[in-house]
Amino acid sequence: MFVWTNVDPAHDDDFNRWYDREHVEERVNLPGFVSGTRYQSMKGPRQYLGLYRTTSLAAFKTPEYFKAFQQQTPWSVTNLARMRDPIRRVCSIDAEVGSGMGAWLAVLRLGNNEIGSDPAAVAKLGQKLLTLDGVVASRLLTPDVALSTPLPAENANGRVLDPILLIEASSEPAAANAVRLAAEQIGGELDGHAILQLSWQLRDRAA
């Protein structure tokens, strides 16, 4: 699950406290959830990114997940309303190349570019990205239309569920170099990119 958002600046501290003290742990404790990771944008249209990895998309169909999603805590309701221009996508992971995670993450929304619908082509691109110093992994996120329901503050009109390329890197320059190579290899116009720094990660103790 990919949740990327800005937040009302007046409530930034409480928003981060909620995410760090309640929300990530609540989600990672659900069946099928493996980890929850938070990032902060250094470059990009939205400030905070939450990535939740699961064993499969079935994790978003359990009674426990439906209960948590439909019966948010009061603190969650308050902070979900403070989100600005959020996007929520539940995705399959395709074309995963490399291993590990970096302290920096490049995010590329592929828009209508044809490569986004071709996991083999994205995997080939991932192999080229791994030749760059500091790049450790890449993966393609393909949104599931049925599961990617919008957040309360998300504009449901004209939502584009485009594929998203994630590139893990060990430094900010490495992430920037990976973006340049990806744009060169993909060709055409991309809908934009972002470079984010790792804040922290929580893993399921049983994983």
Side-chain angles (χ1 to χ4, degrees), residues 52-67:
Y52 299 88
R53 185 144 187 169
T54 63
T55 54
S56 72
L57 292 181
F60 300 97
K61 302 175 184 179
T62 66
E64 293 88 347
Y65 182 78
F66 282 124
K67 181 179 179 181

Side-chain angles (χ1 to χ4, degrees), residues 30 43 45 51 107 114 120 134 196:
L30 293 172
K43 171 185 173 59
L51 285 179
V107 175
E114 291 183 2
L196 305 96

Side-chain angles (χ1 to χ4, degrees), residues 1-7 12-27 36-39 48-52 75-76 79-80 83 86-87 151 200 202:
M1 181 165 60
F2 178 102
V3 180
W4 199 14
T5 188
N6 290 314
V7 64
D12 189 77
D13 288 345
D14 191 66
F15 178 82
N16 282 294
R17 192 176 298 114
W18 161 69
Y19 239 120
D20 293 345
R21 301 294 186 186
E22 179 183 273
H23 194 61
V24 174
E25 184 171 2
E26 181 185 66
R27 290 294 181 262
T37 311
R38 293 199 66 200
Y39 295 87
Y48 296 114
L49 173 64
L51 285 179
Y52 299 88
W75 203 7
S76 293
N79 279 287
L80 288 169
M83 290 183 172
I87 62 172
L151 290 162
W200 72 288
L202 178 67

Side-chain angles (χ1 to χ4, degrees), residues 67-150:
K67 181 179 179 181
F69 189 70
Q70 294 171 357
Q71 300 177 22
Q72 304 282 355
T73 69
W75 203 7
S76 293
V77 171
T78 296
N79 279 287
L80 288 169
R82 291 170 173 167
M83 290 183 172
R84 299 290 181 266
D85 191 29
I87 62 172
R88 174 186 179 272
R89 306 289 185 264
V90 174
C91 307
S92 61
I93 300 175
D94 302 306
E96 191 162 22
V97 176
S99 59
M101 65 181 295
W104 294 83
L105 184 74
V107 175
L108 289 83
R109 296 185 65 181
L110 300 181
N112 294 322
N113 197 292
E114 291 183 2
I115 194 173
S117 60
D118 186 351
V122 177
K124 184 176 180 180
L125 169 61
Q127 293 292 346
K128 291 183 179 179
L129 292 170
L130 283 183
T131 66
L132 297 176
D133 289 342
V135 174
V136 298
S138 66
R139 61 189 63 88
L140 177 67
L141 303 186
T142 304
D144 183 283
V145 175
L147 295 175
S148 298
T149 52

Side-chain angles (χ1 to χ4, degrees), residues 177-199:
N177 285 339
V179 168
R180 283 192 285 270
L181 177 60
E184 176 185 304
Q185 293 294 314
I186 292 170
E189 292 296 324
L190 300 177
D191 281 355
H193 72 276
I195 294 177
L196 305 96
Q197 187 172 27
L198 174 68
S199 294

